[in-house]
Amino acid sequence: MKPIIRFAPSPTGWLHIGNIRTALINWIFSQKNQGTFWLRMDDTDLERSKQEYIDGVKEDLTWLGLSWDQYTAQSDRLEFYKTAGETLKKLGRLYPCYETQEDLDFARKMQKARGKPPIYDRAALKLTPEDIQKLEAEGKKPHWRFKLNDVPVSWNDAIRGNITFNDVTFSDPVLIREDGMPVYTLASVADDIDLGITHIIRGEDHITNTAVQIQIFEALGKNMDELTFGHLQLITDISGQGFSKREGSLSIRSLRAQGIEPLAICAMLAKMGTSDSIEPKHYLAQLVEEFDFSKFGKSSPKFDLQELEMISRKTLHLLPFEEIEKKVDGISRDVWKVCGGNIEKVEDLHYWQNLLLDATNFEFTPFGENDKSILTAAIETIPDEFSEETWHEWAKEITSKTNIKGKPLFMALRLALTGKDKGPEMKDFICLLSPQIILQRLQSALKGL
Ligand code: GLU
């Protein structure tokens, strides 16, 4: 059977690398097995969910090269969740509760003071029909909790192996809020059944959710043999702290703004926490070929931005010209060949490309006291044509006129001709420049001294 999987972000912030790793692993698994990938917006929290974040999710996935086959949003399916809620009520698994937030906070505090775990005490189960009538007559509206059965829950996790909860030490989860809105816990299960999801791959922060949701799945009649769970370790930053969507610090869009290559992000995230090494890749398809759940470990991998920057640089250097052409308008094959190996980011190519077109597009930064004589001699001896040998022959001529050689000579010329103290091999780069531009640039550097 071909897998049906889903990536189900809550659009309450920009996606960060932790979310994207979940999306990526789902996508890779689906690609590897010719599955169906659902993108589902878990947007039942109408106050915090925003259209700009929904657009952001789609934009980020697309930028990374991750496509989806089907799309749905929970806010469009509220009626459907109501029906699921009604089913659970009929089965006697949902019960009305009238406690206010303050009541619950107080009860929790009392439990804490007595050294007991903060689990809902099921006081509402003791309400008689008369009590309920009275509360309703007072205008109180209930929220609805799912009655968990006190039975062990276990599953064979695709990543972590067998997971068992012997006692149900959780509060009965609230599935429907006072205003009638379904909570994620219910909406997600109802959707996963309805969409025929076969694999739920998500972060290990959902392990307790899974234990609870398995009982909801079963209550709604799901054959659990047809559903596999897999929980990925959570990524932390270098200091061991988790990432949160709302911090926004390592959002995918901030990485994009920094010029990080999308393929580098995927190459790194697909391998973190696995037995494979993290290295630059030529294509996303390589990640698909190499994927296997058995390669994932249990400990939390650490994300290092510097490592990503290094992978990004190497990824860029591996890209064929055909890919570069798509990213930089009007880039020439020669500029890529000569300058590609020295750049950090794709944007850097604009700089080198522009140097071929406009003679005076930067300010000359002097290198040393000999600049004047070097530049004067360079102008006097400028060759008519440039080939691979020109650079060294020209430098020799300048030396014979000025008696200056080595670093002061090369740096003065490099700075005058490129505006930077680092960059491509000058012997190759000057062959791309027109002799007029070289002359104008030397003259303007000299003038600026
Ligand atoms: N909306 C949930 C989240 O963003 C989805 C969890 C799940 O995959 O079920 O954490």
Side-chain angles (χ1 to χ4, degrees):
M1 196 165 80
K2 300 220 163 113
I4 304 174
I5 50 98
R6 84 299 195 278
F7 173 54
S10 308
T12 55
W14 305 117
L15 292 183
H16 58 74
I17 53 159
N19 314 121
I20 279 297
R21 179 158 171 262
T22 304
L24 176 69
I25 302 300
N26 271 292
W27 180 85
I28 289 177
F29 177 68
S30 170
Q31 291 283 312
K32 179 138 195 164
N33 299 286
Q34 294 93 43
T36 303
F37 183 113
W38 275 90
L39 174 59
R40 185 182 86 199
M41 291 300 153
D42 283 359
D43 56 352
T44 51
D45 183 341
L46 298 179
E47 271 150 44
R48 287 176 42 226
S49 299
K50 302 237 155 61
Q51 186 59 40
E52 65 175 324
Y53 296 134
I54 295 180
D55 297 340
V57 168
K58 294 180 184 170
E59 212 177 282
D60 289 347
L61 291 175
T62 306
W63 177 68
L64 288 164
L66 310 180
S67 50
W68 53 96
D69 306 301
Q70 302 282 349
Y71 176 83
T72 186
Q74 291 193 326
S75 56
D76 290 338
R77 293 164 59 84
L78 297 177
E79 283 308 310
F80 170 66
Y81 309 130
K82 274 195 190 136
T83 314
E86 290 309 316
T87 306
L88 291 174
K89 282 182 197 169
K90 277 195 204 114
L91 291 166
R93 293 299 289 274
L94 279 190
Y95 60 97
C97 303
Y98 294 85
E99 292 93 345
T100 61
Q101 196 53 49
E102 291 82 61
D103 296 337
L104 295 170
D105 289 345
F106 180 73
R108 227 175 279 136
K109 252 188 223 148
M110 296 299 284
Q111 283 168 320
K112 221 171 158 196
R114 286 192 218 115
K116 295 219 167 120
I119 296 174
Y120 177 62
D121 62 6
R122 292 182 165 167
L125 276 179
K126 296 186 194 98
L127 295 174
T128 62
E130 292 75 44
D131 293 334
I132 292 179
Q133 226 171 13
K134 202 164 149 242
L135 286 160
E136 295 275 338
E138 286 166 14
K140 299 244 164 78
K141 290 258 174 295
H143 54 273
W144 296 78
R145 286 188 190 262
F146 178 77
K147 188 165 178 294
L148 289 168
N149 288 334
D150 195 4
V151 290
V153 176
S154 70
W155 70 93
N156 190 11
D157 197 275
I159 296 165
R160 303 175 72 90
N162 195 275
I163 298 185
T164 302
F165 287 85
N166 281 317
D167 319 297
V168 177
T169 50
F170 323 115
S171 298
D172 287 342
V174 175
L175 296 194
I176 298 174
R177 296 193 326 199
E178 247 162 56
D179 59 4
M181 277 296 274
V183 173
Y184 150 80
T185 319
L186 170 62
S188 182
V189 170
D191 276 339
D192 289 335
I193 295 175
D194 190 50
L195 307 179
I197 300 298
T198 60
H199 293 75
I200 297 181
I201 314 298
R202 55 188 176 184
E204 67 183 359
D205 50 334
H206 285 290
I207 284 185
T208 39
N209 262 347
T210 296
V212 165
Q213 286 181 326
I214 282 177
Q215 288 210 8
I216 305 174
F217 272 114
E218 284 171 341
L220 288 173
K222 175 78 185 169
N223 175 358
M224 294 310 279
D225 293 338
E226 290 170 2
L227 183 57
T228 302
F229 289 92
H231 292 88
L232 292 160
Q233 330 93 314
L234 292 186
I235 298 179
T236 69
D237 64 14
I238 283 287
S239 68
Q241 279 203 325
F243 289 102
S244 148
K245 250 198 305 248
R246 268 146 278 155
E247 275 162 31
S249 52
L250 265 177
S251 64
I252 295 303
R253 57 194 41 226
S254 73
L255 294 175
R256 176 164 50 170
Q258 285 170 48
I260 300 288
E261 281 301 302
L263 183 54
I265 298 177
C266 293
M268 185 155 167
L269 292 181
K271 299 297 179 176
M272 281 177 72
T274 74
S275 49
D276 285 344
S277 55
I278 296 176
E279 52 195 28
K281 299 285 172 193
H282 286 91
Y283 308 102
L284 268 178
Q286 277 174 280
L287 300 172
V288 175
E289 270 162 42
E290 295 160 7
F291 178 82
D292 198 323
F293 276 129
S294 68
K295 292 181 178 176
F296 284 82
K298 283 188 188 167
S299 54
S300 291
K302 287 199 163 80
F303 176 84
D304 180 355
L305 183 57
Q306 280 181 352
E307 188 179 8
L308 177 61
E309 284 165 350
M310 188 263 289
I311 303 275
S312 176
R313 213 163 37 236
K314 291 188 177 171
T315 302
L316 190 53
H317 299 165
L318 288 179
L319 288 181
F321 179 67
E322 290 63 39
E323 288 299 312
I324 293 295
E325 245 179 338
K326 288 185 211 153
K327 292 172 188 267
V328 187
D329 266 354
I331 182 80
S332 85
R333 195 179 280 273
D334 286 337
V335 168
W336 173 241
K337 203 167 125 206
V338 172
C339 308
N342 286 285
I343 57 167
E344 302 267 318
K345 294 166 188 170
V346 154
E347 282 76 18
D348 299 347
L349 285 172
H350 290 291
Y351 183 84
W352 297 101
Q353 174 85 8
N354 285 340
L355 285 188
L356 309 193
L357 309 172
D358 177 3
T360 51
N361 44 12
F362 58 84
E363 287 234 339
F364 174 58
T365 320
F367 180 71
E369 50 183 340
N370 296 317
D371 286 358
K372 199 168 191 161
S373 33
I374 296 167
L375 296 176
T376 310
I379 292 170
E380 283 166 16
T381 58
I382 192 163
D384 298 331
E385 274 179 24
F386 289 85
S387 71
E388 250 182 61
E389 287 84 45
T390 312
W391 177 248
H392 286 289
E393 284 165 8
W394 190 19
K396 251 192 245 160
E397 286 208 46
I398 301 171
T399 302
S400 70
K401 279 199 171 247
T402 59
N403 235 351
I404 302 160
K405 55 183 174 181
K407 195 167 178 186
L409 169 64
F410 291 116
M411 286 305 278
L413 289 177
R414 182 183 275 284
L415 284 163
L417 295 177
T418 73
K420 295 213 182 282
D421 59 6
K422 279 195 238 42
E425 288 274 354
M426 287 304 288
K427 76 172 178 38
D428 301 323
F429 188 68
I430 53 161
C431 299
L432 303 182
L433 295 173
S434 73
Q436 293 91 309
I437 282 195
I438 293 185
L439 181 63
Q440 283 173 27
R441 225 168 252 165
L442 293 171
Q443 284 167 338
S444 101
L446 193 59
K447 229 193 270 163
L449 277 175

